């Protein structure tokens, strides 16, 4: 069968790579794909981004089903359009994708359904927002309501920073329509985890647990990014916490969406903040919902899947996720992002990648911001590659990933040297 993956990042390379392992798959098309998917076996890039053109291609090539990687096409209604054309596509509808595309929608939804999250207020008027911030004091978090490519959240440690963020978003229109409203919320403390599940409208199948590192610099310092590295499993998510997140967050979300007439299908990613305490009682609060898998969390998660992922998607598309299981490799996988010079501000592009580590069963370089140009792979975006390795321990997986990175070269490459540190046994970190 032929499949289509929509997107061009490391997440989509990893999804396409795993799907292409299935003996039943002839070709996985990736639209528009990147320099890595351009040269992978049984994967082909498709230079189409327009939804109606994609629909025409899917009909013509008799694509069995489509998986959507990023949030933008979901928020633009790609699922609604494919379904209206009678095509199978895995992802939430435009209305359901508001869980990610509007932070105000997500917050109000959580309040309606008693899903634990930080206290908040929403504003369109800058003066009202500033009054609220002065009343609450710092630290405080300011978020543009709409999609802002991971840049719309300011965790302000001072009052000045928070007030400045209001001017940036509501005053200067830095985020366009996405910044017409701001959510101001309580600053939470604790450790973050990425809890990702597959949903079919009724049933839920959890993916392996994962954590990412959002800050640019070692020791989780520096500006927020889309994610500089990730690993799976996440030791913090004990069986007790896993059950609690399902019971306190995932099931109420699924039931709430169904009750409101928007049954949720697709990947659902809850970013949760886990505060200190015994697992049975420590506070768990939702920081955000994403209506897709995480990038780079997907890369280590895909590496750990041993069963046939096409079958999981087929069951999901038939509303039978209750019959699905995924067989997980027990080893730990870790993905380290190599970013371009000047990421995240204004990443430099056009650097040739002159050296790659050789892919093996345990170590793969997934591409993100790359393109093939006249036989050479060149950088085209902020996050360039994600070197992903799997081994018996987090320490060994780190060693393998960093060894592969030492064999990878492009000018200006930046990466963190401590991905996975939180998962190291406490005597080592
Ligand atoms: P979001 O896109 O809403 O997840 O925000 C991006 C990142 O900002 C999160 O992954 C957290 O690291 C941080 N963040 C968001 N909301 C809060 C909060 N209420 N308290 C502390 N940190 C936060
Ligand atoms: N790695 C965080 C995200 O995909 O949103």
């Amino acid at each position: 069968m032929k499949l289509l993956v929509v997107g061009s990042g490391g997440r989509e390379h990893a999804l396409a790579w795993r799907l292409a392992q299935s003996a039943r798959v002839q070709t996985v098309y990736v639209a528009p794909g990147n320099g890595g998917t351009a040269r992978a076996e049984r994967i082909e890039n498709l230079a189409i981004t327009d939804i109606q053109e994609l629909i025409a291609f899917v009909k013509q090539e008799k694509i069995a089903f489509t998986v959507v990687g990023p949030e933008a096409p979901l928020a633009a209604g790609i699922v609604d359009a494919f379904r209206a054309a009678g095509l199978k596509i895995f992802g939430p509808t435009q209305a359901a994708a508001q869980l990610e595309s509007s932070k105000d929608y997500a917050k109000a939804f959580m309040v309606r359904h008693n899903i634990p999250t930080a206290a908040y207020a929403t504003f369109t008027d800058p003066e009202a927002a500033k009054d609220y911030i002065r009343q609450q004091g710092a630290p405080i978090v300011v978020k543009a309501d709409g999609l802002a490519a991971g840049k719309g959240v300011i965790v302000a440690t001072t009052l000045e920073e928070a007030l400045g963020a209001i001017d940036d978003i509501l005053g200067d229109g830095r985020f366009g329509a996405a910044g017409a409203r701001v959510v101001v919320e309580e600053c939470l403390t604790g450790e973050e985890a990425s809890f990702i599940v597959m949903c079919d409208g009724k049933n839920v199948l959890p993916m392996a647990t994962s954590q990412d590192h959002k800050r640019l610099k070692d020791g989780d310092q520096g500006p927020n990014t889309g994610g500089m590295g990730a690993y799976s499993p996440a030791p913090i998510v004990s069986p007790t916490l896993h059950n609690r997140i399902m019971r306190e967050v995932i099931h109420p979300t699924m039931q709430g969406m169904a009750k409101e007439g928007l049954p949720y299908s697709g990947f659902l990613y809850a970013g949760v903040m886990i505060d200190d305490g015994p697992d049975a009682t420590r506070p768990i609060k939702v920081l955000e919902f994403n209506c897709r898998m995480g990038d780079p969390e997907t890369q280590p998660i895909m590496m750990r899947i041993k069963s046939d992922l096409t079958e999981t998607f087929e069951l999901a598309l038939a509303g039978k996720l209750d019959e699905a299981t995924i067989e997980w490799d027990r080893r730990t996988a870790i993905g380290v992002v190599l970013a371009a010079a000047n990421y995240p501000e204004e990443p430099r592009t056009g650097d040739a990648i002159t050296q790659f580590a050789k892919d093996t069963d345990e170590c793969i370089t997934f591409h993100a911001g790359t393109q093939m140009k006249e036989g050479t792979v060149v950088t085209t975006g902020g996050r360039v590659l994600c070197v992903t390795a799997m081994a018996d321990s987090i320490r060994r997986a780190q060693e393998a990933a960093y060894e592969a990175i030492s064999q990878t070269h492009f000018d200006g490459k930046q990466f963190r040297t401590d991905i996975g540190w939180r998962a190291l046994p406490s005597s080592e970190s």
Side-chain angles (χ1 to χ4, degrees):
M1 70 181 144
K2 297 178 189 173
L3 306 177
L4 172 65
V5 172
V6 175
S8 65
R11 167 184 47 216
E12 289 76 34
H13 186 182
L15 274 165
W17 165 78
R18 178 48 78 204
L19 289 168
Q21 309 287 304
S22 167
R24 301 161 61 216
V25 169
Q26 181 188 338
T27 308
V28 181
Y29 292 94
V30 187
N34 58 39
T37 50
R39 57 181 200 173
E41 251 173 84
R42 290 199 282 177
I43 301 179
E44 268 181 48
N45 283 353
L46 184 64
I48 301 179
T49 47
D50 177 77
I51 293 176
Q52 291 308 324
E53 286 179 39
L54 282 174
I55 288 176
F57 178 86
V58 164
K59 284 185 173 166
Q60 183 197 313
E61 292 296 320
K62 302 196 166 53
I63 301 286
F65 62 82
T66 297
V67 179
V68 187
E71 63 277 17
L74 294 167
I78 191 172
V79 169
D80 311 67
F82 269 60
R83 286 193 189 159
L87 301 174
K88 287 188 182 162
I89 184 164
F90 187 70
T93 60
Q94 184 175 41
Q98 286 180 94
L99 277 180
E100 175 167 5
S101 65
S102 167
K103 298 209 184 269
D104 175 59
Y105 175 91
K107 296 294 287 189
F109 173 85
M110 286 190 268
V111 170
R112 282 199 296 280
H113 296 284
N114 267 323
I115 297 163
T117 188
Y120 83 107
T122 300
F123 301 94
T124 51
D125 172 37
E127 287 316 311
K130 288 180 181 179
D131 284 345
Y132 179 79
I133 287 171
R134 285 191 197 97
Q135 222 173 54
Q136 300 292 316
I140 194 157
V141 181
V142 178
K143 302 183 173 185
D145 176 56
L147 296 180
K151 292 181 186 144
V153 174
I154 297 94
V155 181
T157 47
T158 64
L159 218 47
E160 291 66 43
E161 205 184 336
L163 299 173
I166 296 295
D167 286 331
D168 266 2
I169 300 174
L170 286 180
D172 302 345
R174 206 177 123 201
F175 298 101
R181 286 187 290 188
V182 292
V183 167
V184 180
E185 73 178 32
E186 167 199 10
C187 189
L188 299 175
T189 54
E191 187 170 332
E192 286 182 57
S194 309
F195 201 90
I196 304 172
V197 299
M198 277 176 95
C199 308
D200 67 6
K202 301 185 295 284
N203 308 291
V204 179
L205 179 69
M207 297 280 110
T209 58
S210 62
Q211 273 178 298
D212 78 340
H213 293 270
K214 293 224 164 58
R215 304 296 190 109
L216 183 68
K217 302 282 186 192
D218 281 5
D220 295 323
Q221 304 294 316
N224 256 325
T225 70
M228 292 299 290
Y231 47 95
S232 171
I236 188 172
V237 185
S238 64
T240 301
L241 281 181
H242 197 282
N243 286 340
R244 283 189 54 205
I245 295 170
M246 289 296 285
R247 200 170 61 234
E248 294 170 30
V249 175
I250 302 296
H251 288 309
T253 303
M254 289 293 288
Q255 284 156 9
M257 292 298 280
K259 220 187 261 171
E260 296 189 8
L262 302 174
Y264 192 93
S265 51
F267 288 106
L268 178 68
Y269 166 143
V272 294
M273 186 71 101
I274 303 166
D275 212 342
D276 295 338
D279 283 353
T281 53
R282 59 201 296 190
I284 303 171
K285 287 186 182 170
V286 177
L287 289 167
E288 62 166 341
F289 283 121
N290 294 318
C291 55
R292 50 171 176 82
M293 289 198 81
D295 190 337
E297 291 93 326
T298 302
Q299 290 84 318
I301 288 175
M302 286 299 135
M303 194 163 234
R304 293 187 57 216
I305 293 182
K306 288 166 74 175
S307 44
D308 186 339
L309 187 60
T310 60
E311 288 174 13
T312 318
F313 279 115
E314 285 177 323
L315 286 169
L317 288 162
K320 293 182 181 167
L321 268 184
D322 52 333
E323 295 174 21
T325 50
I326 294 178
E327 199 188 330
W328 298 101
D329 197 303
R330 298 175 69 89
R331 289 174 289 177
T332 294
I334 168 173
V336 180
V337 168
L338 303 187
N342 297 330
Y343 177 75
E345 283 305 310
E346 279 183 45
R348 188 173 83 202
T349 58
D351 287 304
I353 305 180
T354 51
Q355 226 182 300
F356 280 100
K358 199 172 158 13
D359 283 349
T360 65
D361 286 347
E362 280 88 31
C363 186
I364 297 184
T365 297
F366 292 113
H367 290 228
T370 74
Q371 218 173 32
M372 283 292 276
K373 272 202 182 137
E374 290 145 20
T376 305
V377 184
V378 297
T379 66
T380 57
R383 292 189 291 172
V384 176
L385 302 171
C386 181
V387 175
T388 309
M390 184 163 69
D392 286 329
S393 68
I394 182 88
R395 176 60 83 195
R396 290 229 163 96
Q398 278 180 330
E399 282 165 9
Y402 285 109
E403 170 59 29
I405 286 171
S406 74
Q407 297 162 22
T408 308
H409 186 73
F410 57 92
D411 279 345
K413 82 174 169 185
Q414 318 182 48
F415 60 96
R416 282 181 56 165
T417 63
D418 65 347
I419 298 303
W421 69 268
R422 286 179 192 277
L424 289 172
S426 44
S427 57
E428 285 185 56
S429 61

